[in-house]
Amino acid sequence: MHYIRQVKNTVSTFGWVSILLHWLVALVVLGMYPLGLYIVSLGYYDPGYRIYPDWHRSIGVLLMLVLCMRLFWRWINPSPRQLSQHRWERLGASLGHLGLYLLLVTILASGYLFSTADGRGIEVFGWFSLPAIPGLALRQEELAAEIHFYAATLLMVLIAIHALAAFKHHFIDKDATLTRMLGLQSENIDDSN
């Protein structure tokens, strides 16, 4: 095995930009869910009640920017071919990826609507502010918060299935599905296919 050195994807491998964006989104999402659960458990007089929600919103806005970059990068790059020989697995993988993206967009949109329902924008770590859109979520904060929670919980389930599928490819099928997303590539993968 050797490290992938190309920037862009090929038909058989992911480039380092796709790998970096994948793992950045994954780590942020996996950290945001428990942070969100912790925030919900805080009492009004808890010192973290004033700090952690701001962090959660700020990270969410940055995640939205990274997700936009990831979607654009995916649009301008070829997707490496799926290694499964089974049509149902390829269809499942495609639907799973679509579900991951749709849930991420739903979570980010509902989080924005919930956070700006009072008409105030989101201050992002003091660097810049994402303004509220007046009247967009008027009196809809409870609905937006509910959608945000259930979509995030469903995303965690889909992420677990995604990870299990990657481990299945690695340990049972013994193909390069997982290693190529880790930035490693098997010597026998041919880019000419």
Side-chain angles (χ1 to χ4, degrees):
M1 291 197 186
H2 65 280
Y3 289 100
I4 295 174
R5 302 207 188 277
Q6 77 269 8
V7 173
K8 295 184 82 173
N9 299 344
T10 68
V11 295
S12 64
T13 62
F14 289 99
W16 67 263
V17 173
S18 292
I19 293 168
L20 177 68
L21 290 172
H22 173 273
W23 290 109
L24 180 60
V25 170
L27 291 173
V28 170
V29 167
L30 290 172
M32 288 287 275
Y33 188 74
L35 178 59
L37 292 178
Y38 179 67
I39 289 167
V40 171
S41 74
L42 294 175
Y44 182 77
Y45 295 106
D46 191 300
Y49 186 79
R50 302 279 182 254
I51 299 167
Y52 300 130
D54 288 338
W55 288 4
H56 191 81
R57 286 187 288 266
S58 293
I59 294 168
V61 170
L62 296 177
L63 178 61
M64 181 175 53
L65 297 174
V66 171
L67 182 62
C68 289
M69 287 175 19
R70 181 163 184 201
L71 290 170
F72 177 73
W73 189 254
R74 185 177 170 117
W75 180 59
I76 65 171
N77 272 278
S79 290
R81 70 181 179 282
Q82 292 186 29
L83 300 178
S84 175
Q85 302 300 316
H86 305 289
R87 184 175 178 201
W88 66 270
E89 274 189 345
R90 291 191 306 271
L91 177 63
S94 296
L95 292 174
H97 284 106
L98 178 62
L100 289 168
Y101 285 118
L102 289 175
L103 284 170
L104 274 170
V105 169
T106 301
I107 292 163
L108 293 169
S110 60
Y112 170 79
L113 292 174
F114 171 61
S115 298
T116 60
D118 62 359
R120 289 182 290 171
I122 300 171
E123 187 66 33
V124 181
F125 293 120
W127 302 334
F128 64 93
S129 181
L130 182 64
I133 300 173
L136 187 62
L138 194 60
R139 294 182 173 78
Q140 297 298 318
E141 54 264 43
E142 286 183 28
L143 176 61
E146 208 167 303
I147 291 170
H148 190 70
F149 171 75
Y150 286 112
T153 302
L154 185 56
L155 180 63
M156 291 300 111
V157 171
L158 200 52
I159 287 172
I161 293 168
H162 182 69
L164 288 172
F167 290 136
K168 181 244 181 215
H169 278 282
H170 187 73
F171 292 111
I172 295 173
D173 299 342
K174 301 198 183 305
D175 66 28
T177 298
L178 178 61
T179 57
R180 66 185 183 177
M181 188 47 82
L182 290 172
L184 302 171
Q185 146 184 345
S186 179
E187 304 262 344
N188 62 356
I189 294 179
D190 181 14
D191 281 344
S192 64
N193 291 345

